[in-house]
Amino acid sequence: MVKTVEEVYGVGAMRGFDPVKAAKAREQWVPADLSALGDPDKVHPYYLEKAEEVRQRFKFDADADMRWLALWAEHWDELPARQRIAIADSTGTIWGFAVPALEPRAVEVVARETCDRLRLGDYGEYPELGFGLVRIEQRVCRPVVVVRDWLFHGPSNHGKEVHRG
């Protein structure tokens, strides 16, 4: 049976994803380091189940490693404001973070640490999130999406409901 480009290379193929360029970019750019949050193999099953829902929602790759997003969500309440919005690609890799808008009509911006690590350029204090996503996609040669904590709320098969204020 012949597979489509999307089936072979994942959802990014439809947006011009080049697996060769992405592999080279992976050698040059370092994903966000979440090791301080703990062991991704010890994440509560509730968050792993919710991460699987995120994988399906965004049509991440079938073999995407969702443990890091689950770990991020599990410790979301402990994170500083600059890590409250995750920026991930279809492999489940978290490339960086964005800062939520804290007042009406304010814009969400890419976190300074993400800008520095991925050398997004000097766009003032922080680039606006939409523009930042484009720059991150150019760096990592893969489409990226914004993952918000509310995707990890609500009932699950594990009977635990999480509500955050």
Side-chain angles (χ1 to χ4, degrees):
M1 180 174 172
V2 177
K3 292 185 175 185
T4 67
V5 173
E6 187 175 26
E7 289 172 327
V8 173
Y9 295 119
V11 69
M14 300 310 289
R15 291 182 57 194
F17 165 60
D18 181 337
V20 175
K21 285 183 182 177
K24 288 179 182 177
R26 187 75 184 217
E27 294 171 7
Q28 181 178 3
W29 304 108
V30 179
D33 181 13
L34 298 177
S35 60
L37 296 180
D39 185 350
D41 291 324
K42 295 182 180 176
V43 174
H44 190 280
Y46 170 86
Y47 293 99
L48 292 171
E49 180 182 320
K50 290 297 180 180
E52 178 60 23
E53 290 174 14
V54 168
R55 185 186 72 74
Q56 292 173 13
R57 176 187 190 102
F58 289 114
K59 299 184 181 357
F60 280 9
D61 300 344
D63 62 348
D65 183 358
M66 302 304 291
R67 296 172 308 145
W68 290 102
L69 275 167
L71 181 68
W72 167 81
E74 184 175 43
H75 294 279
W76 187 89
D77 288 337
E78 305 161 26
L79 295 171
R82 67 183 183 278
Q83 293 182 350
R84 293 292 174 101
I85 300 171
I87 301 168
D89 70 18
S90 64
T91 67
T93 301
I94 299 175
W95 287 102
F97 302 99
V99 181
L102 301 176
E103 54 189 63
R105 298 186 188 173
V107 297
E108 296 170 327
V109 295
V110 176
R112 172 53 61 200
E113 294 87 353
T114 300
C115 293
D116 292 346
R117 186 171 30 78
L118 296 176
R119 290 184 285 201
L120 298 182
D122 186 20
Y123 302 107
E125 186 64 26
Y126 304 100
E128 181 269 325
L129 182 56
F131 182 68
L133 292 177
V134 172
R135 299 289 297 161
I136 293 169
E137 285 183 351
Q138 290 172 344
R139 289 286 185 262
V140 303
C141 298
R142 294 188 68 94
V144 294
V145 296
V146 174
V147 181
R148 299 178 188 279
D149 70 297
W150 60 263
L151 293 167
F152 290 85
H153 296 189
S156 79
N157 291 331
H158 295 282
K160 179 181 176 184
E161 257 188 66
V162 175
H163 297 282
R164 295 190 184 119

